[in-house]
Amino acid sequence: QVQLVESGGGLVQPGGSLRLSCVASGGIQRDYAVGWFRQAPGEEREGISYISTKDGHTYYSDDVKGRFTISRDSARNTVYLQMNSLKVEDTAVYYCAIGPVPTTIPKFYAYWGQGTQVTVFL
């Protein structure tokens, strides 16, 4: 059973930075995608970035492009999301997920972490 544990969330002022980590354990397949999603109160869960372990392809939504960077440490089974120039509207619970297909559509991801809160406040 695949398990994901996120960490690194917290409180930060606009313009600040945070680095989220997603550590995976269990029966992980050789090729898969790791996606980062976020969900603000009253909003739907949205995919903001993913990385494919097959070819290293990465994707960023327009909202985070140029500010967030996804990376992977295969030796540690860890995927990171470096978040710079944070804005108030980035406030949300952030989740990582693993699935067979690199996509931003949540239903294609089979395994999810518990989420980590990111709050950007003035």
Side-chain angles (χ1 to χ4, degrees), residues 9-115:
L11 301 173
V12 65
Q13 292 185 322
S17 299
L18 287 172
R19 188 177 77 158
L20 305 184
S21 300
C22 173
V23 181
S25 61
I28 304 171
Q29 296 180 351
R30 179 177 177 179
D31 297 324
Y32 55 94
V34 179
W36 281 100
F37 297 78
R38 66 185 182 186
Q39 189 167 19
E43 303 290 332
E44 293 187 354
R45 191 168 298 188
E46 65 164 332
I48 58 172
S49 182
Y50 62 69
I51 185 167
S52 169
T53 65
K54 182 176 182 181
D55 56 12
H57 177 67
T58 59
Y59 165 86
Y60 302 94
S61 69
D62 288 342
D63 286 346
V64 306
K65 191 178 298 181
R67 300 188 297 125
F68 291 10
T69 303
I70 191 170
S71 63
R72 174 174 169 253
D73 183 341
S74 59
R76 290 180 168 84
N77 280 341
T78 302
V79 171
Y80 302 99
L81 186 68
Q82 177 67 44
M83 307 188 296
N84 298 328
S85 303
L86 283 163
K87 305 175 182 179
V88 172
E89 50 264 42
D90 292 320
T91 296
V93 178
Y94 284 69
Y95 301 88
C96 66
I98 282 181
V101 180
T103 175
T104 58
I105 302 173
K107 70 177 183 179
F108 290 109
Y109 286 81
Y111 303 100
W112 291 82
Q114 81 288 355

